[in-house]
Amino acid sequence: MSFRLRVLLLTMVLVATSSAATAWLTLQQANRALTSYVAASHRDVEDAVAVLAAYGRTHPTWSGVADPVRDLAGRLNQRIRVVDDSGVVLADSDVLAGRAARPTVGAPSLVDTRPLLVFPPGMDSYGRFRFTVAVVDAFWRGRIMTACAEGAGLGVRVVETKFKPPYYEVTGGTEAARTACNRQGKEASRPAGPVDERGKTCLNRDDDAACLAEVLNVHLAAYAPKPVQVYLGALDEVPARGVPARAIGLAAAAVVLVTAVCAVLLSRRVLRPIGALTTASRAMATEGRADPVPVTGHDELAELARTFNRMAGSLAASEERQRRLIADVAHELRTPLANLRGYLEALSDGVLRPSPELFVSLHEEALLQQRIVDDLQDLALAEAGVLAYHWTSVDLAELAETARTAHAAVAEAAGLTIGLTVDAQVTVDADPDRLRQVLGNLLRNAITATPAGGRITLTVSADDTATAEASAIVQVSDTGRGIAPADLAHVFDRLWRGDPARGRGGTGLGLAIARQIVSDHGGVLDVASEVGVGTTFTIRLPLSSPAPPR
């Protein structure tokens, strides 16, 4: 399965799952919100009915109901409409707010100011009759006190206690005004009515409570304000009944479609550079070369493309160095072999007569070939990590003196001097033959690069500062022509030669071999150079561990 298809399928599965979960949660949330709204609406209706009923019990008529309606509409944030039993509008919050009345919605709720009969437990039929008479009497006297209070600009408070008749109390104004209204209600004589006559007919009946409640309502209808109906809400305020399942399905399908499109675009963005890398890698595998991959952006794919381009450039440079090495090695081998062949054919034909000088020349040519072969073999072993070492304790000062002595004659012949400076006696665990090979290579290079009259210096020292690991240091410095800064980074590259001209006696392998030998000893080989001043190669090796006490 392709990467594009995997990304697409995985993304669609994830989106479909998340969309289904989101749809389910949305439905659940909508249902909970609707349930909560219905409960809140019920509370609003109960609140509005209670406020309007309290107003009706403390006012003789509904003429001033506009004020509580306005307050309720602002507090409940609902449209409130109050109408009487004949359909006449007593108050409408839309009209009170200065806008056209909107159509009502839902069924109205009844507001009845007449008290409900709640008899004390254990009361007999006659006691319930007397309780009903007391409720009617208290309500009738309260209505007289309410009318008096309204005329005097006073207020009335109704105290309703369970199992007791309602109690009316005049509030506000002066004490004299309150006392006058209270006295007027208490001293008035309630006219006899149905509650006295018909109430007695309810005695000793099984349904005496229902009978007395009916008598109460009939009797109080002459005193209480008529019941009214209250509407909450308007037609354009109907809450949403939940999101239809079809709409949720369409929304989920749209999300899946958009995600699929995004996944395709994403896969194209990802696969385009991968395809370019694949094409370039295939070209490198079949043709040995590849054009640089286009790099756009700064993400991981762009960094991968940059890394590939660096790798391709490095491989191309390595192949170029190998081709140059093959050409150089062929040239270096061809010249001594041609000389050997020419001398041998001349000796065989009798053109030349054997002489000690001729044999010395032939021996030098053979040694040159042997050197080239040995360098190639050492490089192959070093690169493979199987170069043989014979470890022992080596005194670097003594080793440096041996190397100086071995090359002193060649240096004198070139008009150079080799000096040795020993700043510290240091000992390392090493293969002395391999270290002499390294020093010999560095000294030969120094002799080649230094003109007559120059000086080459060998220095042995130790670095045991607190900020560095204790190590032994051997430096080979010359006063030669130096190395250009552009070439300095390549002097240790295998197969690299600073001067590409033929016939300079080197193969470009010595420094690569030397650095590998020093690295195998746990050390570092560095170079510093300045054109026209000279070059310094520095060998840094770990010091030998002290021998345990006996």
Side-chain angles (χ1 to χ4, degrees):
M1 186 181 296
S2 67
F3 178 78
R4 184 194 303 272
L5 186 57
R6 289 180 181 178
V7 171
L8 180 60
L9 291 179
L10 179 60
T11 305
M12 292 185 67
V13 168
L14 291 176
V15 171
T17 304
S18 62
S19 297
T22 303
W24 183 81
L25 291 174
T26 301
L27 284 174
Q28 295 297 317
Q29 185 66 24
N31 290 334
R32 284 195 295 269
L34 182 59
T35 302
S36 176
Y37 181 86
V38 170
S41 297
H42 288 167
R43 289 194 297 270
D44 291 346
V45 170
E46 293 174 356
D47 194 1
V49 169
V51 170
L52 293 175
Y55 177 86
R57 292 190 189 101
T58 57
H59 293 81
T61 65
W62 294 104
S63 59
V65 76
D67 290 336
V69 166
R70 184 184 293 106
D71 295 340
L72 275 173
R75 179 161 59 86
L76 301 180
N77 195 25
Q78 291 268 19
R79 184 276 185 92
I80 298 178
R81 181 184 179 94
V82 179
V83 299
D84 61 14
D85 55 356
S86 61
V88 176
V89 178
L90 302 179
D92 190 324
S93 61
D94 277 353
V95 177
L96 295 175
R99 61 172 177 248
R102 292 169 290 175
T104 58
V105 61
S109 299
L110 183 66
V111 179
D112 193 347
T113 62
R114 290 172 291 187
L116 297 176
L117 281 177
V118 181
F119 299 110
M123 182 175 284
D124 59 11
S125 181
Y126 184 74
R128 287 194 283 270
F129 167 71
R130 298 304 304 168
F131 185 84
T132 304
V133 172
V135 170
V136 171
D137 187 72
F139 187 83
W140 179 78
R141 297 182 187 280
R143 301 309 297 177
I144 294 176
M145 295 167 60
T146 298
C148 175
E150 186 174 23
L154 305 177
V156 177
R157 183 170 68 93
V158 182
V159 180
E160 294 182 298
T161 305
K162 193 174 183 180
F163 306 137
K164 290 184 180 181
Y167 173 75
Y168 286 76
E169 181 182 13
V170 180
T171 60
T174 64
E175 183 176 357
R178 294 195 300 272
T179 302
C181 287
N182 287 330
R183 183 182 300 112
Q184 185 176 346
K186 291 178 181 179
E187 295 177 353
S189 297
R190 180 178 61 83
V195 71
D196 301 288
E197 299 174 1
R198 293 183 56 187
K200 294 178 181 180
T201 63
C202 299
L203 295 175
N204 301 320
R205 290 176 51 174
D206 293 337
D207 61 342
D208 62 333
C211 179
L212 290 171
E214 181 180 355
V215 170
L216 172 75
N217 288 333
V218 171
H219 184 74
L220 294 185
Y223 310 131
K226 293 185 178 299
V228 295
Q229 294 177 336
V230 58
Y231 292 86
L232 264 71
L235 189 60
D236 59 349
E237 293 178 355
V238 178
R241 296 292 180 180
V243 182
R246 182 180 179 184
I248 294 179
L250 292 176
V255 171
V256 172
L257 179 61
V258 172
T259 305
V261 173
C262 293
V264 171
L265 296 177
L266 177 63
S267 63
R268 288 185 60 189
R269 171 68 182 88
V270 172
L271 293 178
R272 184 178 299 165
I274 292 179
L277 287 172
T278 302
T279 302
S281 300
R282 188 179 296 113
M284 183 174 293
T286 57
E287 303 174 9
R289 58 173 298 278
D291 295 330
V293 177
V295 179
T296 57
H298 302 280
D299 55 7
E300 294 82 358
L301 291 174
E303 182 60 28
L304 176 62
R306 294 188 187 94
T307 303
F308 178 85
N309 289 339
R310 288 194 294 268
M311 179 193 69
S314 177
L315 289 176
S318 177
E319 290 183 357
E320 178 61 25
R321 289 195 298 270
Q322 290 184 16
R323 285 193 292 269
R324 289 173 52 192
L325 171 67
I326 293 173
D328 290 343
V329 170
H331 175 77
E332 296 293 340
L333 291 176
R334 184 184 299 112
T335 300
L337 284 175
N339 290 338
L340 286 174
R341 178 181 177 182
Y343 280 117
L344 290 175
E345 289 179 351
L347 289 172
S348 176
D349 294 339
V351 176
L352 291 178
R353 298 182 61 183
S355 65
E357 292 80 6
L358 179 59
F359 285 114
V360 169
S361 176
L362 295 178
H363 183 258
E364 289 178 353
E365 293 293 342
L367 289 178
L368 179 58
Q369 293 181 76
Q370 183 65 44
R371 177 187 167 194
I372 296 173
V373 173
D374 289 345
D375 282 350
L376 290 172
Q377 184 178 17
D378 286 347
L379 178 63
L381 294 175
E383 291 290 334
V386 295
L387 194 61
Y389 292 99
H390 302 284
W391 302 94
T392 185
S393 180
V394 178
D395 186 336
L396 287 183
E398 181 179 345
L399 184 72
E401 175 61 27
T402 301
R404 185 191 71 82
T405 302
H407 292 80
V410 179
E412 290 179 3
L416 307 174
T417 58
I418 301 178
L420 174 62
T421 302
V422 179
D423 295 335
Q425 293 293 330
V426 289
T427 303
V428 297
D429 294 327
D431 184 331
D433 293 336
R434 293 300 181 186
L435 288 187
R436 277 196 295 270
Q437 180 181 354
V438 172
L439 289 178
N441 181 277
L442 297 179
L443 288 171
R444 285 194 297 272
N445 287 345
I447 293 171
T448 302
T450 306
R455 180 176 177 80
I456 300 171
T457 304
L458 271 168
T459 303
V460 179
S461 61
D463 184 0
D464 56 357
T465 59
T467 58
E469 184 180 354
S471 58
I473 298 176
V474 179
Q475 291 182 316
V476 178
S477 303
D478 63 53
T479 58
R481 59 179 177 271
I483 303 173
D487 294 336
L488 200 59
H490 301 287
V491 294
F492 295 111
D493 292 350
R494 61 188 181 92
L495 315 178
W496 183 87
R497 296 176 65 177
D499 187 352
R502 302 284 201 269
R504 294 202 58 85
T507 62
L509 302 174
L511 288 177
I513 296 171
R515 193 171 209 183
Q516 185 63 50
I517 291 174
V518 173
S519 178
D520 291 344
H521 280 75
V524 178
L525 176 58
D526 291 324
V527 61
S529 183
E530 185 176 349
V531 176
V533 176
T535 303
T536 298
F537 285 88
T538 301
I539 304 171
R540 190 182 296 270
L541 298 171
L543 292 172
S544 297
S545 301
R550 296 185 180 182

